[in-house]
């Protein structure tokens, strides 16, 4: 069996690795190649222009505007989502206090887990369409319909350049929280109940249980969550494309790199320039993930 182990493993891996290499790795390599060309997508002729696309990119105001928007999302999307998900997960697993030395979640916690996870069942494009209607400035919008009823006047969530990005950020948080509630609940479920029971018998409050027990033991899960949410912050294409005014508006207030890549390919037929943007986005994402894992690394706590 020992001598047949590696052929057995290779036999299972060769097909998925071949598919991954063909449709993912090859696509990345082609994007790197095209980033050094001025190819417009219609001619078989490819002219190599060196680093001209990158020189143009780093002097493009729209590119830097998109980077600033990604920085805002990169800070607030993981921060808000993780805080809310931790709060809800703690309530669902430990927030009900202790009874007979055993910790428990709040009443109805199993039902709440399903409710929190429900947004994950909806396609992101569908979520964008729903919230575009929720934010609608007329009476058909859920929020502005209520505001108009009480005479407060409409709030232009997506048409006000000071509010548009934050309105989209709120949707990103709403859509993501449920998944991380389930993820953190699974992490809390792996913590031995004896630890919670011992802390409860010693008179630990819920705050003490959270900060002194739950948070340290969930550190690896938090680290992974921050990386995943950071990658989501570098995307946000679907929501911005569907929800924003004039795709990235008003006045570029919500544009992101994914949208600019799409716009340069579809509207301007600048495949080489769009590929250069994709290469920069690739390195930004990889750098963020590597730095996050490095900065947040800590010794594992043995249970």
């Amino acid at each position: 069996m020992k001598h047949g182990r590696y052929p057995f493993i290779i036999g299972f891996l060769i097909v998925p690795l071949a598919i991954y290499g063909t449709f993912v790795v090859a696509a990345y390599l082609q994007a790197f190649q095209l980033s050094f060309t001025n190819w417009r997508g219609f001619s078989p002729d490819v002219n190599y222009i060196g680093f001209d696309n990158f020189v143009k990119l780093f002097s493009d105001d729209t590119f830097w505007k998109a980077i600033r928007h990604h920085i805002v999302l990169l800070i607030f999307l993981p921060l808000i989502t993780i805080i809310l998900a931790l709060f809800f997960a703690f309530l669902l697993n430990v927030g009900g206090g202790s009874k007979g030395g055993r910790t428990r979640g709040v009443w109805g916690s199993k039902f709440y887990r399903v409710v929190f996870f429900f947004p994950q069942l909806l396609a992101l494009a569908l979520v964008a369409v729903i919230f575009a209607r929720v934010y609608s400035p007329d009476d058909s919008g859920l929020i502005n319909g209520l505001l108009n009823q009480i005479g407060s006047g409409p709030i232009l969530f997506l048409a006000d350049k000071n509010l548009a990005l934050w309105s989209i950020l709120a949707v990103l948080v709403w859509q993501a929280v449920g998944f991380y509630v389930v993820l953190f609940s699974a992490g809390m479920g792996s913590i031995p109940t004896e630890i919670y029971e011992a802390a409860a018998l010693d008179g630990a409050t819920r705050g003490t249980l959270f900060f002194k027990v739950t948070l340290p033991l969930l550190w690896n899960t938090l680290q992974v969550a921050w990386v995943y949410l950071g990658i989501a912050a570098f995307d946000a294409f679907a929501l911005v494309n569907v929800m924003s005014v004039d795709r990235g508006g008003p006045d570029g207030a919500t544009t992101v790199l994914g949208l600019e890549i799409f716009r340069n390919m579809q509207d301007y037929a600048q495949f080489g320039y769009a590929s250069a943007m994709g290469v920069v986005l690739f390195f930004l994402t990889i750098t963020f993930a590597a730095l996050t894992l490095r900065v947040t690394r800590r010794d594992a706590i043995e249970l």
Side-chain angles (χ1 to χ4, degrees):
M1 179 65 184
K2 181 178 180 180
H3 296 289
R5 180 175 60 182
Y6 294 109
F8 178 78
I9 294 174
I10 293 172
F12 270 96
L13 289 180
I14 190 167
V15 174
L17 286 178
I19 294 174
Y20 184 82
T22 302
F23 294 102
V24 178
V25 176
Y28 276 121
L29 293 176
Q30 187 175 32
F32 276 83
Q33 176 194 7
L34 292 177
S35 67
F36 295 102
T37 72
N38 62 355
W39 188 52
R40 298 187 62 84
F42 302 105
S43 170
D45 299 327
V46 178
N47 298 319
Y48 287 90
I49 57 175
F51 289 91
D52 287 359
N53 283 327
F54 295 95
V55 173
K56 177 183 176 183
L57 183 63
F58 290 120
S59 61
D60 187 344
D61 291 338
T62 302
F63 168 77
W64 289 111
K65 187 178 290 187
I67 291 294
R68 289 194 294 271
H69 297 159
H70 281 300
I71 292 173
V72 172
L73 296 176
L74 195 60
I75 294 172
F76 291 100
L77 176 60
L79 186 63
I80 297 173
T81 302
I82 288 175
I83 289 175
L84 289 176
L86 275 175
F87 173 73
F88 290 131
F90 186 76
L91 289 180
L92 296 180
N93 290 273
V94 189
S98 60
K99 184 176 181 181
R102 298 185 63 86
T103 57
R104 55 197 175 97
V106 297
W107 182 85
S109 58
K110 293 182 179 179
F111 170 74
Y112 293 137
R113 283 191 180 94
V114 176
V115 172
F116 283 129
F117 193 74
F118 177 72
Q120 292 294 315
L121 303 179
L122 302 176
L124 198 56
L126 179 58
V127 171
V129 171
I130 292 172
F131 273 91
R133 299 306 307 161
V134 170
Y135 287 147
S136 179
D138 55 29
D139 288 339
S140 66
L142 177 63
I143 299 175
N144 282 313
L146 294 174
L147 292 176
N148 291 335
Q149 291 295 323
I150 62 177
S152 297
I155 298 175
L156 304 179
F157 290 101
L158 299 176
D160 186 338
K161 64 181 181 180
N162 296 318
L163 290 178
L165 185 63
W166 298 101
S167 300
I168 292 175
L169 171 62
V171 180
L172 284 169
V173 171
W174 179 87
Q175 198 271 339
V177 162
F179 174 80
Y180 292 96
V181 169
V182 175
L183 179 66
F184 295 151
S185 294
M188 292 178 189
S190 67
I191 299 174
T193 57
E194 292 83 1
I195 297 178
Y196 284 119
E197 293 168 7
L201 290 174
D202 288 338
T205 63
R206 295 180 186 179
T208 303
L209 284 175
F210 178 77
F211 288 104
K212 299 295 185 181
V213 178
T214 303
L215 207 56
L217 295 177
L218 274 183
W219 188 259
N220 289 338
T221 306
L222 290 172
Q223 186 184 53
V224 171
W226 199 283
V227 171
Y228 283 176
L229 286 165
I231 293 173
F234 277 116
D235 184 12
F237 164 77
L239 284 182
V240 173
N241 189 47
V242 176
M243 294 181 63
S244 63
V245 176
D246 194 25
R247 288 195 306 172
D251 194 24
T254 58
T255 191
V256 291
L257 285 179
L259 184 62
E260 291 304 318
I261 293 171
F262 178 77
R263 194 198 309 275
N264 277 279
M265 291 179 64
Q266 179 176 350
D267 298 347
Y268 310 136
Q270 295 184 354
F271 281 73
Y273 189 58
S275 296
M277 281 191 181
V279 169
V280 171
L281 180 59
F282 170 81
F283 281 112
L284 285 174
T285 306
I286 293 296
T287 302
F288 164 77
L291 286 176
T292 301
L293 292 173
R294 176 67 179 176
V295 172
T296 59
R297 186 176 63 182
R298 58 186 294 180
D299 294 334
I301 299 176
E302 296 185 3
L303 300 176

